Amino acid sequence: MEQNNKLLEVKNLIKIFVIGSGFVRSRITAVENVSFELEINKPEIFTLAGESGSGKTTLARMILGFIPPSSGNILYKGKDISQLKGREIELWFMKDVQPVFQNPFETFNPLKKVDSYLYETVINYSIADKKNASKPIEEALNLVGLSLQEVSGRYPHEFSGGQLQRISIARALITKPALLIADEPVSMVDASLKMSICNLFKELKEKQGVSIIYITHDLATAYYVSDRIAIMFRGNIVELGSVEKILTDPKHPYTKILRDSVPEPDPERKWQGRIELSSFEEKEYQSKGCKFAGRCPYVMDICRNRMPEDVSIDGRIVKCYLYASKVNKAIV
Amino acid sequence: MAILKTENLKAYYITEIFGVKRTVRAVDGVSVSINNNEIFGIAGESGCGKSTLIKTLLGIVKPPLTVLEGGVNYSIGDKKFDILALNQKELKSIRWEYISYIPQSSMSVLNPVRRIRDSFKSFINAHKKIEKEEFKNLVEEHLNALGLPTEVLNAYPHQLSGGMRQRVTIALATILRPKVIFADEPSTALDVVVQRGVIQLLKDIQQEQKNTVILVTHDMAIHANICDRIAIMYAGKIIEEAKTEEIFKNPLHPYTKYLIGSLPKIGDKSYRVSAPGSPPPLTNLPPGCSFHPRCPYTTERCKREFPKLVEVADSHKVACFLVSKEV
Ligand SMILES: Nc1ncnc2c1ncn2[C@@H]1O[C@H](COP(=O)(O)OP(=O)(O)OP(=O)(O)O)[C@@H](O)[C@H]1O
Ligand SMILES: Nc1ncnc2c1ncn2[C@@H]1O[C@H](COP(=O)(O)OP(=O)(O)O)[C@@H](O)[C@H]1O
Ligand code: SF4
Ligand code: SF4
Ligand SMILES: [Mg+2]
Ligand SMILES: [Mg+2]
């Protein structure tokens, strides 16, 4: 096998859900055609952002191997994850790629002591035997600013949302993963705790070399923590590149509207102008051209008929005809 | 002029399970005065008592919630009353027409098995007798003014997207042109673009109808965008209150300083420090200042006595010994 310097390669990933049965079946394209890569030996925080229903969670669940893609490939350290056969190699992947979920209160059963989850993880992944299980747990808890003594013997309701989220991150860290996939990990916690979890992610990246796929619709925290960002709209990545470039100078018309809608915590920089909301959002999924055509102020005829290709421009990738034509002109 | 005033309002959840009494001090001595025609924001961490304060101000107090002290005095035109002293019938007559409410989840006001039109009908009929033609005009004009398509009237709630449902809820809650509108996290569950639309709608209504809006959210950026004044709640108490610009430019309470200082902004990657620790459980508050276990400036006095909310500058109130120079 050739040497590969990619941690993760997502290639033309598609996920179509079929709901209902018999004649009343309908198909939902949750992820339409998504590709991106993370480098090995170059830890980064990669944000997947976009409105609800844009396919973020579905994409994350495919990468974690929870659901199979309808088509396309996911390569982790050069290996196609759909071809991982045998307990040893499966365990290797599951240890290396760990999830962090949205709602810390749902991650933990209210009737179970919180530390039992940590011990189970140690045993299930054969990190240590029962006698020596405390050591890796203590180490993981220390990474998130907690200690086993604070956590031992206590139930979920005895912790705040932020503490529980830290414990669930500590659980994910027990196996010393190379990649964390965190789906809306701060959307249920308060402003101040939110930033302490963001700081924790930065530290894990810088000091432990962990790469993180951070899924959120909160662009302000995305800007703060991440290196690169991918903006998703209706199952497609419409813009991808460095977070500084994309959020301070968005190119795709959807990214622009998204960026302009983020409220600034500064009374001197209130929203300018007005926005129009679409009243019939469902239609966007069906359209065969650019999914944003119905709301785009720059829509052209071609937009409605064919999906735009990815265009590389100004250090990023944009899926929009506005830039395709410029590139074509430049080539001609 | 104040349209709503409370003095040392205390509302606790008092429960007894298997003989064990548990008291949640959710609203613990709140004195607040809200002006006619302003947008007043209430901010604070989850569980600090924001929704309970709103419930009490709306007069929705039923066990285990118990008011121990204080009244909620409204002065709407020549109508003056303590909402906590009204009976059910009186409450019903002022709800929606004088004092209205936009909940976080629209499903609590929209009837899931009836068309939107019917929700509007039962809302209006509970307060006025009106003819069919007049009903049609009233509702359609209101929806048009708010930029909502009149087709929504024929829809069932589940057929609408979350954002549209929330906008319809706002239309419903404001159709009788109430004088005071309470909104509890009206846009929190929504995407940013839709959230902006919902907040824009609320602001439009306030400007057109000239009512008073009390907006609860933990999102400081929303407060910055539309509120005239903001109160910061911590562990059941208001610990700082000021004009919006003042709260953001010159926060004085150590908790507010952490809160404002930790807000992320696009375009600024500088390191953010958030307050250490987490808020105390309302069943077991520390003695003295509730923030003292997390405060870097704690003194012996802070551990014993609770600092009162006092005016330290023009309409800027703070509850902290350090700021009121009483240390
Ligand atoms: N029906 C109830 N019975 C007992 N305790 C309750 C009840 N409702 C709320 N509480 C408690 O009262 C406290 C304040 O709750 P409240 O809902 O007012 O908080 P909040 O500031 O609105 O929080 P959030 O931002 O999460 O909405 C919490 O500790 C909560 O657990
Ligand atoms: N198990 C499923 N069955 C059917 N449809 C699904 C399923 N999971 C997600 N979807 C649909 O796929 C689309 C994308 O959803 P999701 O990936 O959860 O988006 P996001 O995480 O960006 O909010 C939505 O229309 C959603 O309703
Ligand atoms: S492809 Fe066309 S419709 Fe789509 S975002 Fe670009 S200009 Fe707008
Ligand atoms: S009163 Fe004391 S403990 Fe409370 S915020 Fe002020 S300085 Fe800190
Ligand atoms: Mg999701
Ligand atoms: Mg609440």
Side-chain angles (χ1 to χ4, degrees):
Chain A
M1 208 179 72
E2 74 180 274
Q3 258 303 335
N4 188 312
N5 58 352
K6 303 287 183 229
L7 181 67
L8 180 73
E9 292 160 88
V10 171
K11 292 183 180 168
N12 303 103
L13 216 54
I14 298 176
K15 181 69 193 182
I16 297 167
F17 290 107
V18 179
I19 42 181
S21 57
F23 293 113
V24 287
R25 281 205 211 189
S26 66
R27 294 152 62 86
I28 292 177
T29 307
V31 172
E32 183 155 321
N33 189 351
V34 164
S35 304
F36 68 90
E37 295 178 343
L38 302 182
E39 305 266 314
I40 219 164
N41 300 330
K42 194 182 151 201
E44 75 166 319
I45 301 182
F46 181 83
T47 292
L48 276 174
E51 61 189 358
S52 103
S54 59
K56 307 181 297 291
T57 299
T58 305
L59 183 54
R61 293 174 65 214
M62 287 191 281
I63 298 171
L64 283 160
F66 293 173
I67 52 171
S70 304
S71 82
N73 301 90
I74 301 161
L75 274 61
Y76 181 73
K77 291 189 175 163
K79 294 192 176 65
D80 189 326
I81 67 163
S82 66
Q83 307 298 321
L84 300 180
K85 296 275 148 54
R87 172 153 165 81
E88 203 168 315
I89 189 133
E90 274 178 35
L91 201 62
W92 162 78
F93 175 73
M94 286 161 67
K95 270 177 164 173
D96 236 34
V97 182
Q98 281 279 333
V100 175
F101 298 107
Q102 173 171 12
N103 188 342
F105 291 98
E106 279 170 13
T107 315
F108 298 96
N109 178 337
L111 301 175
K112 246 170 97 171
K113 285 179 187 154
V114 162
D115 51 353
S116 64
Y117 286 87
L118 305 173
Y119 284 101
E120 275 166 24
T121 304
V122 171
I123 303 303
N124 291 346
Y125 290 100
S126 326
I127 306 293
D129 55 24
K130 264 211 177 80
K131 273 205 316 267
N132 302 308
S134 303
K135 193 165 163 276
I137 293 175
E138 182 74 74
E139 281 168 8
L141 284 169
N142 289 346
L143 288 175
V144 302
L146 292 166
S147 67
L148 187 51
Q149 193 210 332
E150 288 171 81
V151 174
S152 247
R154 295 171 71 189
Y155 290 93
H157 70 88
E158 297 175 59
F159 295 96
S160 72
Q163 284 173 320
L164 273 186
Q165 196 59 305
R166 283 172 175 274
I167 296 168
S168 96
I169 296 169
R171 192 210 54 78
L173 293 175
I174 286 177
T175 63
K176 299 206 163 54
L179 178 61
L180 282 185
I181 298 184
D183 191 357
E184 312 248 13
V186 296
S187 62
M188 311 289 287
V189 304
D190 286 304
S192 63
L193 299 168
K194 202 187 256 183
M195 294 318 283
S196 77
I197 287 170
C198 287
N199 287 335
L200 171 62
F201 282 163
K202 285 183 149 196
E203 235 171 77
L204 288 172
K205 179 192 88 172
E206 279 151 24
K207 300 204 181 122
Q208 310 297 320
V210 179
S211 282
I212 299 168
I213 295 181
Y214 172 60
I215 298 174
T216 188
H217 55 254
D218 179 347
L219 296 187
T221 59
Y223 187 89
Y224 181 68
V225 296
S226 49
D227 302 292
R228 286 190 303 154
I229 188 168
I231 306 288
M232 287 193 75
F233 184 74
R234 302 285 188 247
N236 292 284
I237 291 180
V238 295
E239 191 160 0
L240 188 159
S242 97
V243 73
E244 281 89 355
K245 278 208 163 169
I246 288 183
L247 292 185
T248 57
D249 178 25
K251 296 280 187 225
H252 192 282
Y254 172 66
T255 318
K256 286 187 186 181
I257 289 183
L258 191 64
R259 167 67 189 87
D260 283 346
S261 299
V262 177
E264 301 265 353
D266 180 352
E268 283 170 7
R269 296 175 60 186
K270 294 182 184 171
W271 282 314
Q272 297 299 313
R274 304 179 59 82
I275 55 150
E276 295 299 325
L277 297 180
S278 73
S279 12
F280 303 100
E281 292 142 357
E282 295 71 23
K283 285 184 192 150
E284 290 174 346
Y285 281 104
Q286 266 97 43
S287 78
K288 60 180 193 288
C290 171
K291 297 279 186 285
F292 194 54
R295 275 198 270 164
C296 180
Y298 311 103
V299 61
M300 300 166 279
D301 285 342
I302 186 172
C303 306
R304 297 187 203 276
N305 298 320
R306 244 183 50 217
M307 180 61 107
E309 302 278 317
D310 288 346
V311 181
S312 276
I313 171 179
D314 187 24
R316 74 190 82 188
I317 292 168
V318 188
K319 205 187 247 326
C320 170
Y321 284 118
L322 285 178
Y323 304 98
S325 58
K326 273 181 201 155
V327 170
N328 289 345
K329 270 180 217 142
I331 293 169
V332 169
Chain B
M1 200 196 65
I3 196 163
L4 162 59
K5 226 177 146 121
T6 71
E7 202 70 59
N8 202 24
L9 186 64
K10 288 188 179 168
Y12 297 172
Y13 294 97
I14 302 173
T15 52
E16 204 175 311
I17 302 169
F18 303 127
V20 181
K21 199 168 146 190
R22 186 166 166 269
T23 305
V24 179
R25 290 156 69 174
V27 174
D28 199 17
V30 167
S31 303
V32 69
S33 169
I34 293 163
N35 300 326
N36 197 7
N37 204 1
E38 75 173 332
I39 302 186
F40 186 82
I42 301 175
E45 283 173 77
S46 176
C48 73
K50 304 181 296 294
S51 297
T52 311
L53 175 60
I54 294 295
K55 272 193 243 170
T56 315
L57 298 180
L58 277 163
I60 308 176
V61 180
K62 46 180 186 242
L65 185 61
T66 317
V67 174
L68 285 89
E69 212 178 310
V72 176
N73 294 300
Y74 284 86
S75 162
I76 302 177
D78 47 17
K79 245 181 144 65
K80 295 190 181 7
F81 54 90
D82 175 354
I83 203 165
L84 299 176
L86 301 184
N87 62 34
Q88 282 306 317
K89 190 160 164 266
E90 291 167 320
L91 268 177
K92 231 178 149 178
S93 77
I94 59 156
R95 174 102 14 98
W96 307 122
E97 201 176 351
Y98 288 91
I99 298 170
S100 187
Y101 169 60
I102 301 161
Q104 177 164 2
S105 151
S106 46
M107 283 322 209
S108 53
V109 278
L110 297 176
N111 187 330
V113 297
R114 299 182 67 197
R115 291 181 197 276
I116 303 293
R117 178 187 311 283
D118 298 319
S119 288
F120 272 93
K121 259 193 199 133
S122 53
F123 239 70
I124 295 172
N125 288 340
H127 291 272
K128 335 179 153 168
K129 277 272 149 290
I130 78 172
E131 296 299 317
K132 242 190 168 156
E133 199 48 33
E134 199 189 336
F135 169 81
K136 188 167 179 284
N137 290 341
L138 178 69
V139 174
E140 291 189 357
E141 250 173 54
H142 188 57
L143 290 178
N144 284 335
L146 304 184
L148 297 174
T150 47
E151 293 100 84
V152 298
L153 292 171
N154 297 323
Y156 288 96
H158 69 88
Q159 295 175 317
L160 304 174
S161 69
M164 182 54 87
R165 221 159 36 218
Q166 191 62 335
R167 285 185 288 159
V168 167
T169 304
I170 293 175
L172 190 65
T174 53
I175 182 97
L176 298 168
R177 307 180 76 87
K179 289 288 168 284
V180 184
I181 303 170
F182 290 89
D184 191 357
E185 306 273 10
S187 63
T188 303
L190 307 170
D191 290 310
V192 277
V193 179
V194 181
Q195 160 169 294
R196 179 171 173 193
V198 164
I199 296 297
Q200 179 176 289
L201 181 64
L202 198 59
K203 177 119 201 195
D204 287 351
I205 291 172
Q206 194 264 345
Q207 300 215 313
E208 198 254 327
Q209 302 187 344
K210 301 270 175 279
N211 26 35
T212 303
V213 175
I214 294 134
L215 173 66
V216 168
T217 171
H218 65 262
D219 188 339
M220 293 303 290
I222 297 290
H223 285 301
N225 255 281
I226 76 161
C227 294
D228 299 307
R229 289 194 301 145
I230 298 174
I232 310 286
M233 250 182 119
Y234 186 81
K237 296 186 171 73
I238 290 178
I239 50 122
E240 184 156 7
E241 182 196 290
K243 295 206 175 88
T244 302
E245 285 74 18
E246 184 73 6
I247 284 276
F248 281 90
K249 246 196 238 150
N250 186 26
L252 295 174
H253 193 283
Y255 172 72
T256 318
K257 285 190 176 177
Y258 272 119
L259 183 70
I260 302 292
S262 70
L263 297 170
K265 282 184 195 162
I266 292 176
D268 178 0
K269 276 206 159 176
S270 65
Y271 190 73
R272 297 292 196 281
V273 194
S274 46
S278 51
L282 300 183
T283 43
N284 189 14
L285 291 173
C289 172
S290 316
F291 191 59
H292 91 247
R294 305 171 72 186
C295 182
Y297 313 106
T298 309
T299 65
E300 281 311 309
R301 183 170 185 200
C302 306
K303 294 179 189 163
R304 283 193 320 266
E305 251 179 86
F306 191 85
K308 283 202 193 67
L309 186 66
V310 292
E311 189 154 350
V312 293
D314 180 33
S315 64
H316 193 156
K317 295 178 184 170
V318 188
C320 168
F321 292 125
L322 192 71
V323 181
S324 53
K325 309 239 161 37
E326 291 176 32
V327 196

